[in-house]
Amino acid sequence: MTKVFIGGPRTLESLHPGVKQRLDTYMDKGHQVLIGDAEGADKAVQAYLKVKHYRDAQVYFVGDEPRNNLGKWVVRQVDSDGAKRGLERDAARDRVMAHEAEAGFMVWDGKDVDTIMNVWRL
């Protein structure tokens, strides 16, 4: 089983059919999906995994509880590295996911710097 970190911008509202096809491939191969708890790409991917009844996912979050865990998957609380809010907290979470992942798939809108940072982290 390969651990795959999936992420993308917070501005994403829906998944392109090509992204869904890639997610289907990961699920067919039984890969574990590492996903964040943010709005946007994280939530859209979670929604797709939930519709597909995929159980091998883990939601990473910073704080007291995840903002989104649509499929009631196993959660992983990450230390905030002193970050108080927003992008800094998400970056702390993303660093851990990138470190623990064996592969990654980032959905990019052509603008989001945080998504490019995750490509670099991977």
Side-chain angles (χ1 to χ4, degrees):
M1 165 186 53
T2 301
K3 294 180 180 183
V4 182
F5 171 17
I6 300 175
R10 282 170 210 76
T11 57
L12 187 82
E13 295 180 11
S14 62
L15 298 177
H16 183 277
V19 172
K20 291 178 180 179
Q21 185 176 29
R22 178 65 61 96
L23 293 173
D24 288 341
T25 299
Y26 293 144
M27 290 185 281
D28 290 344
K29 292 183 177 186
H31 295 326
Q32 183 179 43
V33 174
L34 309 183
I35 188 76
D37 67 328
E39 296 295 322
D42 291 353
K43 189 173 181 180
V45 169
Q46 284 190 27
Y48 188 70
L49 297 176
K50 181 181 177 188
V51 165
K52 293 291 190 166
H53 305 288
Y54 196 64
R55 298 306 314 150
D56 201 2
Q58 190 169 23
V59 176
Y60 287 64
F61 71 99
V62 173
D64 296 329
E65 61 185 70
R67 296 167 285 188
N68 293 294
N69 184 2
L70 304 180
K72 307 289 188 236
W73 294 285
V74 171
V75 294
R76 169 83 190 282
Q77 188 176 29
V78 174
D79 182 55
S80 68
D81 289 338
K84 301 292 185 216
R85 59 184 159 83
L87 299 177
E88 296 169 356
R89 287 171 53 126
D90 287 347
R93 179 204 66 210
D94 291 350
R95 281 190 294 276
V96 171
M97 284 192 290
H99 177 75
E100 294 181 1
E102 298 161 298
F105 179 64
M106 295 294 124
V107 180
W108 193 45
D109 61 2
K111 301 177 244 178
D112 187 60
V113 175
D114 296 318
T115 302
I116 293 298
M117 287 299 299
N118 283 333
V119 170
W120 181 82
R121 287 179 183 113
L122 284 160

PDB file of all heavy atoms in Angstrom, residues 25-46:
ATOM      1  N   THR A  25      -8.111   5.536  -9.701  1.00  0.00           N
ATOM      2  CA  THR A  25      -6.939   4.672  -9.855  1.00  0.00           C
ATOM      3  C   THR A  25      -6.292   4.395  -8.501  1.00  0.00           C
ATOM      4  O   THR A  25      -5.945   3.246  -8.194  1.00  0.00           O
ATOM      5  CB  THR A  25      -5.911   5.307 -10.816  1.00  0.00           C
ATOM      6  OG1 THR A  25      -6.528   5.471 -12.094  1.00  0.00           O
ATOM      7  CG2 THR A  25      -4.662   4.452 -10.950  1.00  0.00           C
ATOM      8  N   TYR A  26      -6.130   5.446  -7.686  1.00  0.00           N
ATOM      9  CA  TYR A  26      -5.554   5.255  -6.351  1.00  0.00           C
ATOM     10  C   TYR A  26      -6.415   4.302  -5.516  1.00  0.00           C
ATOM     11  O   TYR A  26      -5.900   3.431  -4.822  1.00  0.00           O
ATOM     12  CB  TYR A  26      -5.393   6.585  -5.618  1.00  0.00           C
ATOM     13  CG  TYR A  26      -4.374   7.514  -6.220  1.00  0.00           C
ATOM     14  CD1 TYR A  26      -4.582   8.888  -6.231  1.00  0.00           C
ATOM     15  CD2 TYR A  26      -3.192   7.038  -6.782  1.00  0.00           C
ATOM     16  CE1 TYR A  26      -3.648   9.747  -6.774  1.00  0.00           C
ATOM     17  CE2 TYR A  26      -2.260   7.896  -7.327  1.00  0.00           C
ATOM     18  CZ  TYR A  26      -2.489   9.255  -7.324  1.00  0.00           C
ATOM     19  OH  TYR A  26      -1.567  10.107  -7.867  1.00  0.00           O
ATOM     20  N   MET A  27      -7.740   4.492  -5.591  1.00  0.00           N
ATOM     21  CA  MET A  27      -8.633   3.630  -4.821  1.00  0.00           C
ATOM     22  C   MET A  27      -8.579   2.197  -5.335  1.00  0.00           C
ATOM     23  O   MET A  27      -8.542   1.257  -4.537  1.00  0.00           O
ATOM     24  CB  MET A  27     -10.062   4.182  -4.858  1.00  0.00           C
ATOM     25  CG  MET A  27     -10.225   5.469  -4.054  1.00  0.00           C
ATOM     26  SD  MET A  27     -11.937   6.052  -3.984  1.00  0.00           S
ATOM     27  CE  MET A  27     -12.104   6.838  -5.587  1.00  0.00           C
ATOM     28  N   ASP A  28      -8.579   2.018  -6.654  1.00  0.00           N
ATOM     29  CA  ASP A  28      -8.519   0.671  -7.237  1.00  0.00           C
ATOM     30  C   ASP A  28      -7.258  -0.071  -6.801  1.00  0.00           C
ATOM     31  O   ASP A  28      -7.279  -1.291  -6.631  1.00  0.00           O
ATOM     32  CB  ASP A  28      -8.564   0.733  -8.767  1.00  0.00           C
ATOM     33  CG  ASP A  28      -9.920   1.157  -9.302  1.00  0.00           C
ATOM     34  OD1 ASP A  28     -10.911   1.124  -8.537  1.00  0.00           O
ATOM     35  OD2 ASP A  28      -9.987   1.534 -10.490  1.00  0.00           O
ATOM     36  N   LYS A  29      -6.174   0.665  -6.622  1.00  0.00           N
ATOM     37  CA  LYS A  29      -4.908   0.057  -6.208  1.00  0.00           C
ATOM     38  C   LYS A  29      -4.797  -0.097  -4.695  1.00  0.00           C
ATOM     39  O   LYS A  29      -3.822  -0.633  -4.186  1.00  0.00           O
ATOM     40  CB  LYS A  29      -3.736   0.872  -6.741  1.00  0.00           C
ATOM     41  CG  LYS A  29      -3.623   0.790  -8.252  1.00  0.00           C
ATOM     42  CD  LYS A  29      -2.416   1.532  -8.752  1.00  0.00           C
ATOM     43  CE  LYS A  29      -2.306   1.350 -10.260  1.00  0.00           C
ATOM     44  NZ  LYS A  29      -1.087   1.929 -10.803  1.00  0.00           N
ATOM     45  N   GLY A  30      -5.782   0.416  -3.959  1.00  0.00           N
ATOM     46  CA  GLY A  30      -5.787   0.284  -2.508  1.00  0.00           C
ATOM     47  C   GLY A  30      -4.819   1.194  -1.786  1.00  0.00           C
ATOM     48  O   GLY A  30      -4.416   0.911  -0.661  1.00  0.00           O
ATOM     49  N   HIS A  31      -4.453   2.305  -2.418  1.00  0.00           N
ATOM     50  CA  HIS A  31      -3.535   3.246  -1.774  1.00  0.00           C
ATOM     51  C   HIS A  31      -4.229   3.978  -0.628  1.00  0.00           C
ATOM     52  O   HIS A  31      -5.431   4.245  -0.683  1.00  0.00           O
ATOM     53  CB  HIS A  31      -3.024   4.281  -2.777  1.00  0.00           C
ATOM     54  CG  HIS A  31      -2.177   3.700  -3.868  1.00  0.00           C
ATOM     55  ND1 HIS A  31      -1.331   2.627  -3.686  1.00  0.00           N
ATOM     56  CD2 HIS A  31      -2.046   4.048  -5.169  1.00  0.00           C
ATOM     57  CE1 HIS A  31      -0.711   2.342  -4.810  1.00  0.00           C
ATOM     58  NE2 HIS A  31      -1.129   3.177  -5.736  1.00  0.00           N
ATOM     59  N   GLN A  32      -3.457   4.313   0.387  1.00  0.00           N
ATOM     60  CA  GLN A  32      -3.988   5.101   1.490  1.00  0.00           C
ATOM     61  C   GLN A  32      -3.905   6.574   1.103  1.00  0.00           C
ATOM     62  O   GLN A  32      -2.843   7.059   0.700  1.00  0.00           O
ATOM     63  CB  GLN A  32      -3.214   4.863   2.780  1.00  0.00           C
ATOM     64  CG  GLN A  32      -3.808   5.633   3.949  1.00  0.00           C
ATOM     65  CD  GLN A  32      -3.073   5.394   5.243  1.00  0.00           C
ATOM     66  OE1 GLN A  32      -1.858   5.372   5.281  1.00  0.00           O
ATOM     67  NE2 GLN A  32      -3.823   5.220   6.312  1.00  0.00           N
ATOM     68  N   VAL A  33      -5.011   7.288   1.245  1.00  0.00           N
ATOM     69  CA  VAL A  33      -5.073   8.698   0.908  1.00  0.00           C
ATOM     70  C   VAL A  33      -4.829   9.524   2.165  1.00  0.00           C
ATOM     71  O   VAL A  33      -5.511   9.353   3.175  1.00  0.00           O
ATOM     72  CB  VAL A  33      -6.444   9.057   0.289  1.00  0.00           C
ATOM     73  CG1 VAL A  33      -6.570  10.553   0.080  1.00  0.00           C
ATOM     74  CG2 VAL A  33      -6.645   8.305  -1.022  1.00  0.00           C
ATOM     75  N   LEU A  34      -3.843  10.408   2.089  1.00  0.00           N
ATOM     76  CA  LEU A  34      -3.578  11.373   3.156  1.00  0.00           C
ATOM     77  C   LEU A  34      -4.148  12.698   2.681  1.00  0.00           C
ATOM     78  O   LEU A  34      -3.738  13.221   1.644  1.00  0.00           O
ATOM     79  CB  LEU A  34      -2.076  11.509   3.401  1.00  0.00           C
ATOM     80  CG  LEU A  34      -1.272  10.227   3.603  1.00  0.00           C
ATOM     81  CD1 LEU A  34       0.189  10.561   3.898  1.00  0.00           C
ATOM     82  CD2 LEU A  34      -1.875   9.366   4.693  1.00  0.00           C
ATOM     83  N   ILE A  35      -5.092  13.238   3.426  1.00  0.00           N
ATOM     84  CA  ILE A  35      -5.799  14.447   2.993  1.00  0.00           C
ATOM     85  C   ILE A  35      -5.945  15.407   4.169  1.00  0.00           C
ATOM     86  O   ILE A  35      -6.082  14.979   5.310  1.00  0.00           O
ATOM     87  CB  ILE A  35      -7.188  14.066   2.395  1.00  0.00           C
ATOM     88  CG1 ILE A  35      -7.880  15.251   1.754  1.00  0.00           C
ATOM     89  CG2 ILE A  35      -8.072  13.396   3.419  1.00  0.00           C
ATOM     90  CD1 ILE A  35      -7.313  15.635   0.423  1.00  0.00           C
ATOM     91  N   GLY A  36      -5.914  16.693   3.865  1.00  0.00           N
ATOM     92  CA  GLY A  36      -6.113  17.709   4.893  1.00  0.00           C
ATOM     93  C   GLY A  36      -7.584  17.925   5.174  1.00  0.00           C
ATOM     94  O   GLY A  36      -8.461  17.286   4.587  1.00  0.00           O
ATOM     95  N   ASP A  37      -7.839  18.875   6.070  1.00  0.00           N
ATOM     96  CA  ASP A  37      -9.209  19.141   6.518  1.00  0.00           C
ATOM     97  C   ASP A  37      -9.748  20.488   6.048  1.00  0.00           C
ATOM     98  O   ASP A  37     -10.801  20.921   6.489  1.00  0.00           O
ATOM     99  CB  ASP A  37      -9.269  19.079   8.044  1.00  0.00           C
ATOM    100  CG  ASP A  37      -8.488  20.207   8.715  1.00  0.00           C
ATOM    101  OD1 ASP A  37      -7.464  20.656   8.151  1.00  0.00           O
ATOM    102  OD2 ASP A  37      -8.896  20.629   9.808  1.00  0.00           O
ATOM    103  N   ALA A  38      -9.051  21.148   5.124  1.00  0.00           N
ATOM    104  CA  ALA A  38      -9.429  22.503   4.701  1.00  0.00           C
ATOM    105  C   ALA A  38     -10.606  22.492   3.732  1.00  0.00           C
ATOM    106  O   ALA A  38     -10.961  21.469   3.150  1.00  0.00           O
ATOM    107  CB  ALA A  38      -8.231  23.199   4.054  1.00  0.00           C
ATOM    108  N   GLU A  39     -11.166  23.664   3.543  1.00  0.00           N
ATOM    109  CA  GLU A  39     -12.169  23.866   2.496  1.00  0.00           C
ATOM    110  C   GLU A  39     -11.469  23.744   1.145  1.00  0.00           C
ATOM    111  O   GLU A  39     -10.257  23.677   1.068  1.00  0.00           O
ATOM    112  CB  GLU A  39     -12.802  25.262   2.632  1.00  0.00           C
ATOM    113  CG  GLU A  39     -13.586  25.475   3.903  1.00  0.00           C
ATOM    114  CD  GLU A  39     -14.829  24.587   3.986  1.00  0.00           C
ATOM    115  OE1 GLU A  39     -15.496  24.372   2.953  1.00  0.00           O
ATOM    116  OE2 GLU A  39     -15.125  24.109   5.088  1.00  0.00           O
ATOM    117  N   GLY A  40     -12.201  23.724   0.082  1.00  0.00           N
ATOM    118  CA  GLY A  40     -11.612  23.675  -1.249  1.00  0.00           C
ATOM    119  C   GLY A  40     -11.267  22.269  -1.668  1.00  0.00           C
ATOM    120  O   GLY A  40     -12.081  21.345  -1.559  1.00  0.00           O
ATOM    121  N   ALA A  41     -10.034  22.077  -2.151  1.00  0.00           N
ATOM    122  CA  ALA A  41      -9.613  20.778  -2.691  1.00  0.00           C
ATOM    123  C   ALA A  41      -9.738  19.668  -1.656  1.00  0.00           C
ATOM    124  O   ALA A  41     -10.216  18.569  -1.984  1.00  0.00           O
ATOM    125  CB  ALA A  41      -8.182  20.867  -3.215  1.00  0.00           C
ATOM    126  N   ASP A  42      -9.309  19.924  -0.428  1.00  0.00           N
ATOM    127  CA  ASP A  42      -9.392  18.886   0.606  1.00  0.00           C
ATOM    128  C   ASP A  42     -10.832  18.403   0.763  1.00  0.00           C
ATOM    129  O   ASP A  42     -11.109  17.204   0.753  1.00  0.00           O
ATOM    130  CB  ASP A  42      -8.885  19.401   1.954  1.00  0.00           C
ATOM    131  CG  ASP A  42      -7.392  19.648   2.005  1.00  0.00           C
ATOM    132  OD1 ASP A  42      -6.685  19.292   1.035  1.00  0.00           O
ATOM    133  OD2 ASP A  42      -6.936  20.201   3.023  1.00  0.00           O
ATOM    134  N   LYS A  43     -11.742  19.337   0.899  1.00  0.00           N
ATOM    135  CA  LYS A  43     -13.141  18.981   1.108  1.00  0.00           C
ATOM    136  C   LYS A  43     -13.739  18.310  -0.131  1.00  0.00           C
ATOM    137  O   LYS A  43     -14.510  17.354  -0.021  1.00  0.00           O
ATOM    138  CB  LYS A  43     -13.950  20.219   1.494  1.00  0.00           C
ATOM    139  CG  LYS A  43     -15.360  19.909   1.941  1.00  0.00           C
ATOM    140  CD  LYS A  43     -16.043  21.162   2.457  1.00  0.00           C
ATOM    141  CE  LYS A  43     -17.450  20.877   2.939  1.00  0.00           C
ATOM    142  NZ  LYS A  43     -18.092  22.119   3.431  1.00  0.00           N
ATOM    143  N   ALA A  44     -13.375  18.789  -1.319  1.00  0.00           N
ATOM    144  CA  ALA A  44     -13.885  18.194  -2.560  1.00  0.00           C
ATOM    145  C   ALA A  44     -13.398  16.752  -2.713  1.00  0.00           C
ATOM    146  O   ALA A  44     -14.167  15.867  -3.109  1.00  0.00           O
ATOM    147  CB  ALA A  44     -13.468  19.041  -3.762  1.00  0.00           C
ATOM    148  N   VAL A  45     -12.131  16.501  -2.398  1.00  0.00           N
ATOM    149  CA  VAL A  45     -11.598  15.140  -2.472  1.00  0.00           C
ATOM    150  C   VAL A  45     -12.286  14.271  -1.421  1.00  0.00           C
ATOM    151  O   VAL A  45     -12.682  13.129  -1.702  1.00  0.00           O
ATOM    152  CB  VAL A  45     -10.066  15.125  -2.308  1.00  0.00           C
ATOM    153  CG1 VAL A  45      -9.544  13.708  -2.114  1.00  0.00           C
ATOM    154  CG2 VAL A  45      -9.398  15.782  -3.510  1.00  0.00           C
ATOM    155  N   GLN A  46     -12.437  14.796  -0.219  1.00  0.00           N
ATOM    156  CA  GLN A  46     -13.140  14.029   0.820  1.00  0.00           C
ATOM    157  C   GLN A  46     -14.545  13.657   0.364  1.00  0.00           C
ATOM    158  O   GLN A  46     -14.990  12.517   0.560  1.00  0.00           O
ATOM    159  CB  GLN A  46     -13.227  14.831   2.117  1.00  0.00           C
ATOM    160  CG  GLN A  46     -11.959  14.899   2.915  1.00  0.00           C
ATOM    161  CD  GLN A  46     -12.195  15.489   4.293  1.00  0.00           C
ATOM    162  OE1 GLN A  46     -13.288  15.398   4.857  1.00  0.00           O
ATOM    163  NE2 GLN A  46     -11.169  16.106   4.849  1.00  0.00           N
TER     164      GLN A  46
END
